[in-house]
Amino acid sequence: MLDTVIRHANAMPAPTWHRLGMNHADIAVKAPAASVRAATVDATGFMDSPAPDAFDAALRTLPCAAAPAEGAADDAAGLDACALSRYQSDLANRERIGDAAGAFKTGAGRDAAAFVESIAPERVVLQTVRGAADARAVVYLEAGEGGACANALDIVLAEDSAAEVAVVFDATRAADAFLGSVLRIFCGARSKLALTALQAGGARTTVLDDAGCVLADEASVDVRHFALSTGASSTGFACDLRGAGSRARADVRYLGREQAETDFNYIFEHRGAASTSDLQADGVLADESVKTLKATIDFIRGCKGASGHEQESALIVGEHAHNRSCPVILCGEDDVAGDHGASIGHIDADRMFYLASRGLSPDAAEALFSRSVLESALAACPDDRCREAVRRIADGALETKEDEAPCIVCP
């Protein structure tokens, strides 16, 4: 039986929100399963026999970071040490070493990644050859009643290659289940990765979606996360924008219902000059759901010309729903640009009046926004199997009412 609590997961790099208790999360894993099922991987366009250590070998190909400016390397041990926070001291030590392997992290943290890796039946490696343009993969995690499924996956893109990978968490027909995935991603110079993760879990399921990414020169990663579970779900994504001109973009959609507890943690570490990051999060919170979004943009010494953007829009349609947003910008370099913003609240009176003039009741208007999240998830599904999971979520989320328009995602 899996019965443990992963402490200090989805932790922010620089703890800030002490009083509100949002710096990290504890993930309770309870599943009666005696054995853990491996995720199924359907892949085309990748190497037939990738090296088991392809990810670690790829990290070693990256040059060490440039030495810090004069005096900066001694901050952690010199006279200024008392003025540094623990995060600043740890960062100074890591940057002094300068290697990508030492700085690598996943969004959910070391303990969470180690737990999933320890129970995953095997580690799968997806590796492209240089110039490959048609690599695609669908990773499917599914658990039945009281079951568990774990995935440990390395994605290694060679220079000038491109790939699309989808990870689907399906526990829509299960209770007391656990689904856990940890991805280690390396994108070589000028490579492009499109990553989609879709979570669909029931009320008594736990989903852990963890990933860490390293980008070389002019590499890019586009991430789409859909959190539709009614149970507990944790999403962590950390990106090391190490290469000059590297780019990371994350588009997050969530639908909180019943007593769902959804926790996001995004970390963008800018090390490469002129690197860019962009996070857009939109969602709906209903019933007694709780959502926490932690987003950190970190401009590390040496990333001149870098820019980071974070924007969130949270619509609260339940009287007891609760939203928590924790945006942070850390800056150790000049000549950078970073901004964040949030729009949180109920449907405003003008918009509600407009919808009412079109014949929609307040309940139907709120359902309209929930439907838009589900439609976006449906459009992102890689196959019919995934679409069926989204439709099962839609069945519970959108109960047809006489004054509502038909739900196009319902069968």
Side-chain angles (χ1 to χ4, degrees):
M1 177 176 181
L2 297 178
D3 189 358
T4 188
V5 177
I6 304 173
R7 304 289 184 184
H8 209 71
N10 267 13
M12 303 175 69
T16 303
W17 304 82
H18 298 284
R19 182 178 178 183
L20 299 179
M22 296 186 290
N23 289 318
H24 64 269
D26 294 333
I27 304 174
V29 179
K30 293 185 178 180
S35 61
V36 181
R37 178 189 303 177
T40 60
V41 181
D42 182 12
T44 60
F46 292 93
M47 295 176 58
D48 292 333
S49 301
D53 64 342
F55 177 80
D56 298 311
L59 288 186
R60 291 194 293 270
T61 65
L62 293 178
C64 291
E70 184 178 355
D74 298 325
D75 282 348
L79 297 178
D80 293 333
C82 60
L84 298 179
S85 67
R86 179 175 178 179
Y87 166 75
Q88 290 171 313
S89 298
D90 292 343
L91 177 62
N93 291 330
R94 289 200 307 269
E95 294 308 300
R96 182 183 296 109
I97 298 172
D99 68 312
F104 178 77
K105 67 177 69 172
T106 62
R110 182 178 302 173
D111 292 344
F115 173 77
V116 175
E117 291 171 344
S118 69
I119 66 172
E122 61 179 347
R123 177 178 294 279
V124 178
V125 179
L126 298 177
Q127 185 177 9
T128 63
V129 297
R130 183 169 183 172
D134 57 352
R136 290 176 174 81
V138 178
V139 183
Y140 218 97
L141 291 89
E142 186 174 16
E145 191 78 15
C149 185
N151 168 58
L153 175 66
D154 288 351
I155 302 173
V156 181
L157 301 190
E159 294 181 358
D160 302 301
S161 64
E164 297 180 6
V165 178
V167 183
V168 181
F169 301 80
D170 184 5
T172 53
R173 294 173 289 192
D176 299 315
F178 172 74
L179 301 176
S181 172
V182 57
L183 306 182
R184 301 192 304 174
I185 302 168
F186 176 86
C187 295
R190 299 171 301 281
S191 64
K192 299 178 180 180
L193 174 65
L195 175 65
T196 300
L198 193 148
Q199 304 170 9
R204 299 203 308 274
T205 62
T206 301
V207 175
L208 172 56
D209 181 8
D210 187 23
C213 181
V214 180
L215 303 180
D217 290 347
E218 298 182 40
S220 66
V221 59
D222 285 280
V223 179
R224 292 185 297 174
H225 283 157
F226 297 90
L228 310 177
S229 297
T230 55
S233 67
S234 299
T235 301
F237 181 78
C239 189
D240 181 354
L241 293 102
R242 184 166 291 265
S246 56
R247 182 182 65 85
R249 185 178 186 276
D251 185 8
V252 184
R253 300 292 180 92
Y254 56 88
L255 176 60
R257 297 185 299 114
E258 300 176 9
Q259 295 180 324
E261 296 182 3
T262 306
D263 191 277
F264 298 100
N265 187 40
Y266 290 89
I267 304 169
F268 299 98
E269 295 183 332
H270 290 262
R271 289 183 171 85
S275 54
T276 61
S277 65
D278 184 20
L279 171 64
Q280 179 70 45
D282 299 284
V284 180
L285 298 174
D287 304 323
E288 299 179 14
S289 60
V290 178
K291 185 234 58 176
T292 303
L293 175 65
K294 291 160 283 189
T296 301
I297 301 172
D298 192 356
F299 296 109
I300 298 171
R301 190 184 299 270
C303 69
K304 287 185 178 295
S307 63
H309 172 73
E310 183 265 332
Q311 180 67 42
E312 179 184 6
S313 177
L315 178 64
I316 301 176
V317 300
E319 293 184 3
H320 302 289
H322 191 44
N323 177 79
R324 304 195 297 183
S325 299
C326 318
V328 173
I329 293 178
L330 305 173
C331 191
E333 181 59 89
D334 57 10
D335 189 24
V336 294
D339 65 271
H340 58 75
S343 174
I344 302 167
H346 301 274
I347 303 176
D348 61 75
D350 290 340
R351 183 176 297 179
M352 185 64 77
F353 177 79
Y354 173 82
L355 295 174
S357 70
R358 296 303 187 267
L360 294 179
S361 69
D363 287 343
E366 293 174 352
L368 188 66
F369 291 95
S370 298
R371 185 181 296 115
S372 69
V373 176
L374 293 166
E375 290 175 354
S376 297
L378 189 70
C381 288
D383 53 30
D384 290 339
R385 186 180 179 186
C386 180
R387 279 186 280 273
E388 287 302 316
V390 174
R391 289 191 175 103
R392 285 191 288 271
I393 290 290
D395 285 340
L398 300 175
E399 298 178 358
T400 304
K401 301 177 182 179
E402 292 182 357
D403 59 346
E404 289 183 12
C407 170
I408 68 169
V409 301
C410 297

